[in-house]
Amino acid sequence: MTEQINKKEIAELTRELITIPSVTGTGDVRRAFKFAQDWLKEKRIDAEIVCLHGVQNLIAGVGTEKGSGPNLLWVSHMDVAPAGNFFDWRHPPFCGYEEGEFLYGRGASDAKSCVASMLMALAELKAEEQNLQGRITLMLSGVAESGNENGIEGMLEEYAGRFDAAIVGEATDMCIEIAQRGLRWIEIRLRGIASHAGRPSLGLNAIGEAGKILNAFNGYVFHQRNDLFESGAQQPSISVNKIHGGTQNNLVAEECRLIVDRRMIPGETEQSVMNEIEGIVRSVVDPRCRVEYRILGKGWDPYILDENELIVRVLRNAYRDVLNTEPVIRGKGTCTDASRIFKKGIPVVMLGPGIPFESHISNEKVSVERICRMVGILVHASEIFFSEH
């Protein structure tokens, strides 16, 4: 089935997407959407660029009229992380350099290759639209890398309707991912007692209290575990990734602020996480230190989908038919739009040709052959889904 996919065309499409430096929050995100819109138009597919509170997104679809059959949602994102230090790249990060079987560039793995495969699969299905027994709706976000709620979450509100299942294009190493860890970013603000640094015993150093918390977090042992998740992400995790405190060189710091990254596995809730963190902090800080907590943003909830769900069985069968091998089923350790989709009551899985560990690094790359395979799986899975729904 992948033999029918034009390898040269999919490579060129992916390369053109990579050459548009659509870093989150820049005007090039809209330029990338305009390119995709024009490409779809050439394939006789209507696509609309949707602006939600300044955030650019795109929606397109093929198949039956809305509401007249099963509706399968495809999701990915057009924005990419910044390229970082250009001198760390063997090739310019936005040139889409091809070497051997790989395309190099920022977004090659995360997630321009997913976008390219979904665009190409949509075009393949458009060619046989009269035979489709359902509808595929493609939604592309412009802010997935920042978690902005005006991306896919906003699109699902704007285009409220029934979606029977969803496939999210993210770097999965061609594994079918049916679960995702959750995330809460938590600000911990410590208020100590200021004093002259020459008389530290008269004060209470908030930075010193923060150090106690850092040590407690680093030594904390989690007992929860789920072996479905990828290696290194089978348990919850906690890390402090931002810290700010103090005002003057000769003044004992009265205030210190920590930003905590707390990853969650299914079964944990926002309340259970907060109770745990507050308990750890109380056990180590000086009673005189005032502590305030604040959750930043809406966060992502962990989820796990039953392997017997139709979309999982369909994707597994399509994978077998196209690649003649059994797929790996697992959970993702990082956060994606899949969590937002699952929260809307839509069964959702993740699949993509990129290698997760290639995301956001220098010399990010993706296999062109894998993109072709992704196209074949998407097309075949859609046909099976509509026939079995």
Side-chain angles (χ1 to χ4, degrees), residues 61-341:
V62 301
T64 59
E65 292 298 317
K66 296 176 184 177
S68 61
N71 197 342
L72 181 59
L73 176 65
W74 292 352
V75 166
S76 194
H77 62 92
M78 192 68 86
D79 62 319
V80 299
N85 188 341
F86 277 47
F87 294 104
D88 291 336
W89 289 78
R90 291 167 51 202
H91 313 289
F94 295 109
C95 76
Y97 186 84
E98 189 168 3
E99 183 177 74
E101 66 170 300
F102 293 102
L103 278 170
Y104 288 81
R106 173 57 80 232
S109 176
D110 182 15
K112 295 289 180 70
S113 55
C114 297
V115 172
S117 62
M118 287 181 165
L119 292 176
M120 188 63 73
L122 212 62
E124 294 282 326
L125 289 166
K126 177 66 177 181
E128 54 181 82
E129 188 172 34
Q130 68 276 9
N131 299 321
L132 290 179
Q133 302 173 47
R135 184 170 185 82
I136 299 103
T137 300
L138 172 65
M139 288 185 181
L140 299 177
S141 166
V143 288
E145 294 292 7
S146 68
N148 191 309
E149 63 194 58
N150 292 308
I152 292 304
E153 188 173 12
M155 290 285 281
L156 290 173
E157 294 290 343
E158 184 78 6
Y159 294 90
R162 188 199 74 207
F163 293 103
D164 299 288
I167 299 173
V168 171
E170 285 283 355
T172 72
D173 203 13
M174 293 301 285
C175 299
I176 297 174
E177 295 182 334
I178 64 170
Q180 179 183 287
R181 290 205 300 176
L183 168 62
R184 289 297 184 275
W185 284 318
I186 303 155
E187 178 188 78
I188 302 178
R189 189 178 292 271
L190 307 174
R191 300 184 187 276
I193 302 170
S195 73
H196 194 291
R199 303 181 185 88
S201 61
L202 299 179
L204 177 63
N205 195 319
I207 295 176
E209 297 304 304
K212 296 177 184 178
I213 296 173
L214 288 174
N215 288 334
F217 284 166
N218 289 337
Y220 190 71
V221 177
F222 291 99
H223 298 290
Q224 311 97 310
R225 183 181 182 88
N226 191 313
D227 289 331
L228 177 65
F229 286 87
E230 63 189 85
S231 177
Q234 294 163 338
Q235 290 187 284
S237 62
I238 187 168
S239 61
V240 176
N241 300 326
K242 285 185 179 180
I243 183 167
H244 178 78
T247 55
Q248 292 181 205
N249 293 348
N250 65 345
L251 185 66
V252 168
E254 184 179 22
E255 185 173 303
C256 188
R257 185 169 61 96
L258 312 175
I259 304 297
V260 178
D261 181 295
R262 175 60 165 82
R263 304 284 164 154
M264 309 153 66
I265 64 172
E268 294 188 290
T269 65
E270 183 177 288
Q271 189 60 56
S272 70
V273 163
M274 290 304 299
N275 290 343
E276 176 188 68
I277 287 177
E278 290 177 23
I280 296 171
V281 171
R282 280 197 307 269
S283 71
V284 294
V285 299
D286 189 300
R288 295 174 295 163
C289 182
R290 289 178 293 163
V291 186
E292 298 174 358
Y293 305 89
R294 183 166 67 100
I295 295 173
L296 305 178
K298 300 177 70 172
W300 291 260
D301 290 334
Y303 84 89
I304 185 166
L305 189 65
D306 192 319
E307 284 194 48
N308 291 318
E309 280 280 356
L310 176 60
I311 187 60
V312 181
R313 291 188 282 109
V314 162
L315 205 53
R316 178 187 277 137
N317 290 337
Y319 195 108
R320 289 182 187 133
D321 291 346
V322 173
L323 302 185
N324 197 31
T325 188
E326 188 70 25
V328 173
I329 308 292
R330 70 178 186 190
K332 180 174 286 300
T334 55
C335 294
T336 74
D337 283 321
S339 174
R340 316 281 200 208
I341 296 167

